[in-house]
Amino acid sequence: MDAALAVGQARGIPKADLRKRLGGERELLQDEFRPGEEEDYGLLLEIHGVFDIAKQLDEREVVIAEHLRTAWAATGGLGSGHAVSLSRRFVTGELSLAFRTLARFGLRHGPGRPTEFWTAMVAAGELLDPTDGDEHGSVAQALDESRVRLAECAR
């Protein structure tokens, strides 16, 4: 735990905030690791966002995040790993990545609300930089796909 506190403080996270982040479930998980597995424990903490630095969103980003949260709520649910990852994108302000992730995973069959999902996705995508992207595609590509899916909902 001392090493985790040191890493977090080096990243500028206040000690009291770190203690909250390390409490509860994560503290129990610490008992699952043996000496020599500190790196593995650190990786687990990183995966869970313990060391994430929250980004203060500007007005435009707040609107984008609201659209993306609306889309997320309309998915019908995401697996826990995807939900944790997506949640971290909101905290760190990686809204373009959150948008592309939601577009890639789309809706779950059954409980999702397609029109609401794709409407929110188009609204968010129109506010993002169209050139932002990675090996999985750009915002422009995900926005085009979202528009196609939204048009399909209207049929």
Side-chain angles (χ1 to χ4, degrees):
M1 173 101 86
D2 291 338
L5 287 170
V7 168
Q9 286 184 294
R11 295 206 57 185
I13 302 169
K15 194 171 189 173
D17 190 17
L18 279 167
R19 288 203 179 278
K20 281 186 212 169
R21 294 180 188 199
L22 291 166
E25 237 181 282
R26 291 184 189 93
E27 192 170 74
L28 295 174
L29 288 174
Q30 184 179 11
D31 295 338
E32 300 295 319
F33 292 89
R34 296 188 271 296
E37 295 179 329
E38 293 83 6
E39 194 171 317
D40 294 333
Y41 182 59
L43 179 61
L44 180 69
L45 295 177
E46 178 63 32
I47 288 169
H48 283 275
V50 170
F51 304 119
D52 286 352
I53 305 296
K55 180 180 187 258
Q56 185 66 37
L57 302 179
D58 63 27
E59 288 180 35
R60 185 183 124 278
E61 291 168 324
V62 167
V63 171
I64 294 167
E66 288 172 3
H67 289 306
L68 292 173
R69 284 189 181 95
T70 298
W72 185 356
T75 64
L78 294 173
S80 63
H82 295 302
V84 168
S85 177
L86 192 58
S87 173
R88 291 184 65 200
R89 301 301 163 237
F90 284 101
V91 169
T92 59
E94 298 173 277
L95 301 177
S96 172
L97 182 54
F99 171 75
R100 289 180 283 117
T101 299
L102 279 167
R104 190 167 51 253
F105 290 115
L107 288 159
R108 297 188 77 170
H109 297 288
R113 298 180 305 279
T115 302
E116 184 180 344
F117 177 82
W118 294 114
T119 298
M121 290 295 290
V122 168
E126 289 176 344
L127 295 172
L128 290 165
D129 177 355
T131 63
D132 198 4
D134 60 17
E135 68 274 5
H136 299 292
S138 68
V139 166
Q141 291 168 320
L143 178 56
D144 288 345
E145 180 67 22
S146 297
R147 287 178 174 142
V148 167
R149 300 290 180 153
L150 179 58
E152 289 171 356
C153 291
R155 292 184 199 157

